[in-house]
Amino acid sequence: MSRIVKLRIETMTEEAFRPFGQMWDAKEHSPSARQSFPVAYESEGKPTASVMWQPYQGLNFTKLERHFHAAHVFIPLSGSLAAVAVAPPTDENDPMAIPDPVDVRAFLIDGSKGFAYKKGTWHSLDRYILTPP
């Protein structure tokens, strides 16, 4: 039996995103000096890097995935506002331990910060562009 759950897109803040991973953000924006903000990042799996293009495809999704052997980090380079859906990790030894749809949250990707998932965090396969081109 199908069930539709509507998600409210939340602002991605360190506190709100903490159950799912790390948010990377410049803490301040000096108008006159370059600033560096190191992140306390330790890969929980083999890090991989790639460049991704995500076209507009609507806002509905039916699948979440999780990874135990690769570290997923996303740093937007450009593009439109988008959203990503996430759910907390579940028991990695139980293939039937899937998140309840009411535990899925959606976060706004506004292009000003990156993020890294914790090992086993459930996430949408895509990032969802909010408006058509």
Side-chain angles (χ1 to χ4, degrees):
M1 180 171 162
S2 294
R3 182 168 127 190
I4 296 173
V5 175
K6 291 188 177 189
L7 303 179
R8 179 181 60 84
I9 299 173
E10 305 174 47
T11 301
M12 187 182 284
T13 64
E14 284 186 49
E15 183 178 339
F17 196 71
R18 189 170 292 120
F20 314 104
Q22 293 178 298
M23 186 189 82
W24 296 355
D25 189 16
K27 307 294 184 212
E28 302 165 17
H29 299 98
S30 170
S32 59
R34 180 177 70 95
Q35 295 173 282
S36 177
F37 301 92
V39 294
Y41 174 70
E42 292 184 27
S43 175
E44 296 180 272
K46 179 185 174 197
T48 59
S50 59
V51 174
M52 179 185 305
W53 166 251
Q54 182 69 53
Y56 177 79
Q57 59 187 11
L59 300 176
N60 296 324
F61 68 96
T62 58
K63 296 178 184 176
L64 295 173
E65 65 181 2
R66 61 183 175 167
H67 304 283
F68 299 113
H69 306 294
H72 272 155
V73 175
F74 294 90
I75 302 172
L77 300 176
S78 67
S80 302
L81 293 175
V84 64
V86 295
T90 55
D91 183 353
E92 68 181 80
N93 297 312
D94 180 359
M96 299 307 291
I98 60 174
D100 188 302
V102 298
D103 294 330
V104 178
R105 294 171 65 184
F107 287 98
L108 179 67
I109 302 170
D110 68 4
S112 69
K113 55 190 73 74
F115 56 99
Y117 296 131
K118 287 182 178 178
K119 177 182 171 184
T121 293
W122 292 91
H123 58 279
S124 52
L125 282 64
D126 296 314
R127 272 55 47 213
Y128 294 90
I129 307 303
L130 298 184
T131 56

